[in-house]
Amino acid sequence: MAVSVEMHHTGCVRAVRAEIVAVIEHALADRRGDWRVSIVGSQANDRWEMKIAGPNGFERSYTLEGAAGEHEPNVIGNLVASMVPGRKP
């Protein structure tokens, strides 16, 4: 099982970026298969596009709204955990 997280154009300081990566890795740590998460920010607004790809063709995307507090690491971790299939037994 592997988790890969990429973040681009988010304007995050290194510590916040590291925290976001850690909560995503934690949310996916006990899921089967390889997972890829990308978060790409916009220069035009405070929205980040998050894409999650996993085993068996799993794909989900979600727009993280900064004004709604969705750029917070714990919020992102909870969203990822709720978007992916159940934990392995």
Side-chain angles (χ1 to χ4, degrees):
M1 192 281 312
V3 177
S4 170
V5 180
E6 293 183 19
M7 293 181 66
H8 301 284
H9 309 295
T10 60
C12 287
V13 295
R14 188 172 296 207
V16 173
R17 180 197 283 291
E19 189 175 353
I20 290 170
V21 170
V23 298
I24 291 171
E25 289 174 342
H26 179 73
L28 298 173
D30 59 351
R31 297 327 204 269
R32 295 177 193 253
D34 294 334
W35 294 90
R36 290 182 321 280
V37 179
S38 67
I39 299 175
V40 179
S42 171
Q43 294 177 349
N45 54 48
D46 73 341
R47 295 183 186 116
W48 296 351
E49 292 299 321
M50 177 172 67
K51 294 184 181 184
I52 303 171
N56 302 318
F58 178 90
E59 291 182 344
R60 296 289 185 277
S61 60
Y62 187 88
T63 301
L64 300 163
E65 296 280 347
E70 293 179 333
H71 291 181
E72 296 297 320
N74 61 327
V75 173
I76 294 171
N78 290 336
L79 284 167
V80 170
S82 70
M83 292 173 70
V84 298
R87 300 174 188 272
K88 64 184 176 185

